Amino acid sequence: MKAEIKRQILLALPEIENAEQIEVMEPKNKDHGDFTSNVALKMAKELRKSPMMLAEALAEKIKNNWTAVEVKVITPGFINFYLKEKWLYKVFENVLPESMSSNVKERIEVILKTQEAKELIQEKLLPEEIKRIQYAHSRICSVLEILRSEGICHKGPGISFDYHGSDTEKQILKQLLGYPAMIGQTLENRDSKVLLDYLLGLNNLFYRYHEGLLFRSLNPSLLYGTLKVLASMGRIIGELLGLLGIDAPVKM
């Protein structure tokens, strides 16, 4: 997603020589969008324009060229990108995050074995929190297995997906699609906190999403979409537990 935003900025501002001049970030305050860029602030002096004027011109061009996002400008010249719901689900269905390569896993494991990381893990992953995460993983595995035994599986030809469209579900999809960025940030900064916060955040979203779900009351398309979301969460939770050396049970 960051790469596509950079591409759209390059199309809107051909004066930029390469994508390395463009910085795209995920804002801590989600009111500021799913992604934000300070490119107008960085390029304003070179182009002899005010940051706000440049940002507004860029935003207008991007909105005209790309229907996947809503684009807003805030002072002193940040450009904020908000993923539109339809596009978010389309990306989720077609660009699911892949599992980590063995090389990446090894590099992250080295980070997690440092004394600083061990202390942080002990501080953040208290026994009761570990049990909550393990239950989430086992619950997802159990639901998928029970329904699979009844001939209900979200994988296969001709299956159509529908979704709840709730705020929690959209937050989950954004979290899932942000998995590669989280891995990259963990490696770049050698910061185990990034990974731990991601895992805890995803686990909290599971409980909000799972609460009150009556699987057999869902119509087939909505059931398949729900299972797809849960399966993606379960795979990532299991992968992160494995990196932390914690058992990821399929039953509890």
Side-chain angles (χ1 to χ4, degrees):
M1 184 61 193
K2 288 184 179 181
E4 180 59 25
I5 290 174
K6 288 185 178 183
R7 191 180 78 85
Q8 292 293 334
I9 292 173
L10 279 171
L11 290 173
L13 191 63
E15 291 89 343
I16 298 177
E17 294 180 359
N18 60 69
E20 297 303 318
Q21 294 177 268
I22 303 170
E23 188 174 4
V24 177
M25 303 148 287
E26 296 180 41
K28 292 181 180 179
N29 185 344
K30 290 304 179 183
D31 290 339
H32 294 164
D34 298 299
F35 300 94
T36 187
S37 178
N38 62 357
V39 64
L41 293 166
K42 293 177 69 175
M43 297 295 297
K45 185 176 181 180
E46 181 180 332
L47 298 177
R48 297 181 180 180
K49 295 182 179 180
S50 76
M52 283 297 292
M53 286 182 62
L54 180 57
E56 287 169 356
L58 282 172
E60 191 63 30
K61 287 182 180 179
I62 293 169
K63 281 191 287 188
N64 290 337
N65 293 336
W66 196 27
T67 59
V69 295
E70 182 180 355
V71 189
K72 295 182 180 178
V73 173
I74 61 170
T75 55
F78 287 99
I79 305 173
N80 297 337
F81 300 84
Y82 300 78
L83 295 181
K84 292 184 178 179
E85 181 178 315
K86 183 178 180 181
W87 196 86
L88 176 64
Y89 284 101
K90 183 178 179 180
V91 172
F92 170 68
E93 289 189 5
N94 295 289
V95 193
L96 285 175
E98 296 181 358
S99 297
M100 294 184 204
S101 67
S102 57
N103 177 54
V104 169
K105 286 183 179 179
E106 289 171 4
R107 291 168 62 195
I108 290 183
E109 285 170 350
V110 170
I111 295 170
L112 295 175
K113 287 177 181 177
T114 63
Q115 185 60 35
E116 181 182 0
K118 288 179 180 179
E119 292 174 359
L120 189 62
I121 292 168
Q122 190 173 21
E123 175 189 331
K124 283 185 168 286
L125 294 186
L126 299 174
E128 56 267 30
E129 193 64 54
I130 291 174
K131 286 183 180 178
R132 286 185 82 245
I133 299 171
Q134 289 179 317
Y135 174 79
H137 185 266
S138 68
R139 175 59 179 162
I140 291 170
C141 291
S142 295
V143 167
L144 294 174
E145 181 55 35
I146 289 170
L147 293 178
R148 191 181 298 116
S149 69
E150 298 176 6
I152 301 170
C153 181
H154 67 285
K155 296 180 180 179
I159 290 177
S160 62
F161 298 100
D162 195 8
Y163 300 95
H164 300 272
S166 65
D167 288 341
T168 297
E169 187 175 70
K170 285 181 274 190
Q171 286 180 49
I172 290 171
L173 266 58
K174 291 174 184 177
Q175 186 90 334
L176 294 174
L177 294 172
Y179 189 51
M182 181 278 292
I183 294 169
Q185 191 177 351
T186 300
L187 291 171
E188 182 180 351
N189 300 329
R190 296 185 61 80
D191 188 358
S192 58
K193 183 178 182 298
V194 175
L195 185 147
L196 292 171
D197 286 346
Y198 181 95
L199 174 59
L200 291 169
L202 186 60
N203 193 59
N204 288 336
L205 286 169
F206 161 78
Y207 281 93
R208 285 164 54 187
Y209 186 65
H210 178 266
E211 184 180 12
L213 267 181
L214 300 174
F215 295 97
R216 289 183 174 81
S217 70
L218 303 176
N219 66 58
S221 294
L222 185 54
L223 176 59
Y224 289 133
T226 303
L227 294 180
K228 190 176 183 69
V229 173
L230 286 175
S232 299
M233 295 179 77
R235 182 182 65 75
I236 289 177
I237 289 173
E239 189 165 71
L240 294 179
L241 285 175
L243 282 172
L244 291 162
I246 300 172
D247 182 41
V250 296
K251 291 183 181 180
M252 285 188 74

